[in-house]
Amino acid sequence: MKRSFYLLFSLLVLASLALAACGPTTTPTTAPATQPPVAATQPPEATQPPVAACTPVGTEPIPFPSGGKSVTGAWDQEPDNIISEFTQMSYAAWISQLTVVGLGEWDENGTFVPELAAEVPSAANGGVSADGLTITWHLKPCLFWSDGQPLTSADVLFTWQAIMDPGNAPMTRVGYDKITSIDTPDDTTVVLHFSELYPPWQTLFTQGPNNYGSLMPKHILEGHTALEGDPFIHWPTISSGPWVIAEWVAGDHMTLLPNANFFSGRAKLDQVQIKFVPDSNTALAALQTGDLDWYPNFAESDITTVGALEPAVHLVVKPGFDFEHYFFNLGTTAGVDGKGISDLDGFCPFKDVRVRKAITLGIDRQTIVDSLLAGETIVPATQWPNSSWTNASLTPDAYNPTEAAALLDQAGYTLGADGIRVGMCNGVETKLSFNFETTTAPIRIDIATAVQSDLAKIGIEFKPIHTPAGTFFAGYSDGGNMATGKFDMDGYTTGFYPDPMTGVEDSYACKTVPSTGNPSGANNYHICDPALDTLMAAVNATADPAARKVAIDELQKYIFDNYLVVMMYARANVYGMVDRFVPGPFGFASNLDWNSEVWDVK
């Protein structure tokens, strides 16, 4: 419904008054050299004096009072960085939800809602232009960082500039690289201009468990370069979210205190502690003794064990869109037509789809789900499990070692005297013997052991390597094996949501293959396939959900038919929490941490 002109005019006047009360307005700074210059637009003049002063509540985190309310959680992975644009760890994204937030987020129902923004842009409220190329955000008035400095449209502009600055190495620039300029006509207005239609625009400058877009403070980071190594990126000393990291003892614990300037008010709790533990077994024991209040990362195999502890420990299971998958290093130093060049070539036999299919057929994934995951999940066909975007016409391959062996015979790999197949690949005699790297999570160790046994039956030597998560997920600039291509096969959990294309270009596009010339690339598969680029472009060529569904079905079928990944199982978030801990409502798309300001204790 359209608003009357008088009401609209009145709201604009009130907005200008609130802005004047918040402090001086800003104009855009110059965009990075790799981008077109940002247009400077002067803010409108206020026609009346400010109604009331807009001042921060404080400039420091609120100290923990004697006898205050505190909860303690445990994580078995310690974040590498906290500013989300420079990490790909889920644990880091969770801390970002608690501390450095974005314009919007996803609630317990998976609905996109405003956070630092006053409302979500739409065609109805004038936030989305008719051609979809201009998105206008309005921030809430009188926002402040925890140090008392104003949080304004200038911080949104700075965040984009930092991401696009060639002197920095964020994990991805996908989506942000489609923005040609940003206007900031006043402190609370941000106008994004896109070079082409970008349907997942909601994922930019926004924060979630699978979305990395927290805002960066201009007044702290302006003038800094090589931000991936900046101390503030690792440990932000100020906050825009409900909590501030007051203490971080590496390898032991992290202490969070309330941000007095959080836009929705002081958190109910007085302190949140996060202990770093070696594994879920340690966390389970601590829950039973009362040393922990919650643990967010039990595996599906723990459901029966945790559930048996009711009512002292509550089991919470949130099925969702993440998946555990194994994937091949498909990197080539030649690239394709000069694109997607990797520093190293991947394991040669993986270039043959028959080998990739044989490995998929040679792993008894359903038995793994039944025996190690309590039968509480599924083996999905595609990377969009439990989602309306799933291509329902595709069925996961059943375990078939006979067909797998036949495919390897066809590919020219025959059994040697040691039981390992050998054949010629690019003119070089090559054994089907390769490393597989993943984290030290107990469930991953157990599954890799089962896979090793399965593949040995068809003449493949699968050699697991278990690396601490912080090292395993290290980026290119930190020499991570996955990013630099120093691996044969890897495995971990990821997911393509909240938009169905979230992370897809990062994972598959030629332009996102990491290398010396492209250290920000997040394509851990190191694959460059022009056909994939075309299919992905088709999904993003329209904002119509029905047309996108047709296009994404075709993309899924291509990935499925070419066996580009081995889908192991769909993930659920499995939590254990003691009775005294009272979280807010949450879902898979929001995670536990999206509304931590309402957490409480009985």
Side-chain angles (χ1 to χ4, degrees), residues 142-506:
C142 298
L143 294 176
F144 293 94
W145 294 94
S146 61
D147 63 357
Q149 292 298 308
L151 192 163
T152 72
S153 57
D155 294 301
V156 182
L157 173 60
F158 173 78
T159 298
W160 173 64
Q161 292 172 331
I163 292 169
M164 296 307 301
D165 187 339
N168 299 325
M171 286 297 174
T172 181
R173 293 188 172 98
V174 169
Y176 295 100
D177 59 359
K178 299 184 187 303
I179 298 174
T180 57
S181 64
I182 297 179
D183 297 334
T184 56
D186 54 55
D187 278 356
T188 62
T189 303
V190 180
V191 185
L192 311 179
H193 299 283
F194 287 83
S195 59
E196 60 187 77
L197 190 67
Y198 188 65
W201 59 264
Q202 291 180 336
T203 63
L204 307 179
F205 306 107
T206 57
Q207 185 63 38
N210 196 48
N211 195 63
Y212 307 86
S214 57
L215 298 189
M216 294 183 240
K218 177 182 178 181
H219 70 284
I220 296 288
L221 294 174
E222 186 174 30
H224 293 212
T225 191
L227 287 180
E228 64 277 3
D230 195 282
F232 184 90
I233 300 300
H234 174 67
W235 178 352
T237 51
I238 66 169
S239 165
S240 56
W243 303 96
V244 183
I245 303 173
E247 181 185 41
W248 185 350
V249 179
D252 190 74
H253 73 276
M254 182 183 287
T255 302
L256 309 180
L257 295 176
N259 170 12
N261 296 319
F262 184 52
F263 67 85
S264 68
R266 185 195 190 283
K268 287 185 177 180
L269 293 174
D270 299 303
Q271 180 177 268
V272 172
Q273 285 248 347
I274 297 171
K275 292 183 178 180
F276 303 123
V277 298
D279 51 46
S280 59
N281 292 330
T282 305
L284 181 61
L287 280 170
Q288 291 176 275
T289 60
D291 292 326
L292 286 183
D293 293 300
W294 93 94
Y295 176 71
N297 198 40
F298 284 113
E300 290 79 359
S301 57
D302 298 316
I303 288 175
T304 302
T305 302
V306 178
L309 300 177
E310 292 280 1
V313 176
H314 299 313
L315 169 71
V316 180
V317 180
K318 301 286 185 181
F321 320 124
D322 280 340
F323 53 85
E324 182 82 356
H325 71 320
Y326 287 5
F327 56 89
F328 313 94
N329 181 351
L330 298 176
T332 65
T333 55
V336 179
D337 297 329
K339 300 176 182 177
I341 295 173
S342 294
D343 292 344
L344 300 169
D345 284 315
F347 185 54
C348 182
F350 292 162
K351 305 300 189 295
D352 190 328
V353 67
R354 293 171 296 184
V355 174
R356 301 196 299 269
K357 182 176 181 179
I359 290 171
T360 303
L361 297 175
I363 300 174
D364 192 351
R365 295 174 290 168
Q366 189 60 53
T367 295
I368 288 172
V369 165
D370 293 339
S371 61
L372 295 178
L373 302 174
E376 291 290 340
T377 185
I378 61 170
V379 177
T382 83
Q383 293 170 284
W384 286 262
N386 299 317
S387 166
S388 61
W389 296 99
T390 299
N391 185 337
S393 70
L394 303 176
T395 303
D397 292 285
Y399 176 53
N400 193 332
T402 301
E403 184 181 350
L407 284 167
L408 295 176
D409 288 338
Q410 293 172 20
Y413 294 95
T414 58
L415 284 173
D418 58 0
I420 303 172
R421 290 178 179 268
V422 63
M424 301 300 291
C425 191
N426 285 348
V428 178
E429 187 175 84
T430 306
K431 275 189 172 186
L432 287 186
S433 173
F434 53 85
N435 293 332
F436 167 79
E437 189 172 8
T438 188
T439 71
T440 56
I443 188 62
R444 288 193 170 125
I445 294 173
D446 292 343
I447 290 177
T449 300
V451 171
Q452 184 179 40
S453 175
D454 285 344
L455 293 182
K457 296 172 185 175
I458 58 172
I460 291 176
E461 186 176 34
F462 175 90
K463 299 181 291 185
I465 299 171
H466 297 284
T467 304
T471 302
F472 177 73
F473 286 108
Y476 189 94
S477 59
D478 294 321
N481 285 347
M482 189 157 46
T484 57
K486 299 172 185 174
F487 74 97
D488 297 327
M489 192 175 188
D490 273 5
Y492 61 82
T493 289
T494 190
F496 297 148
Y497 65 95
D499 184 271
M501 287 299 287
T502 298
V504 179
E505 277 192 288
D506 289 341

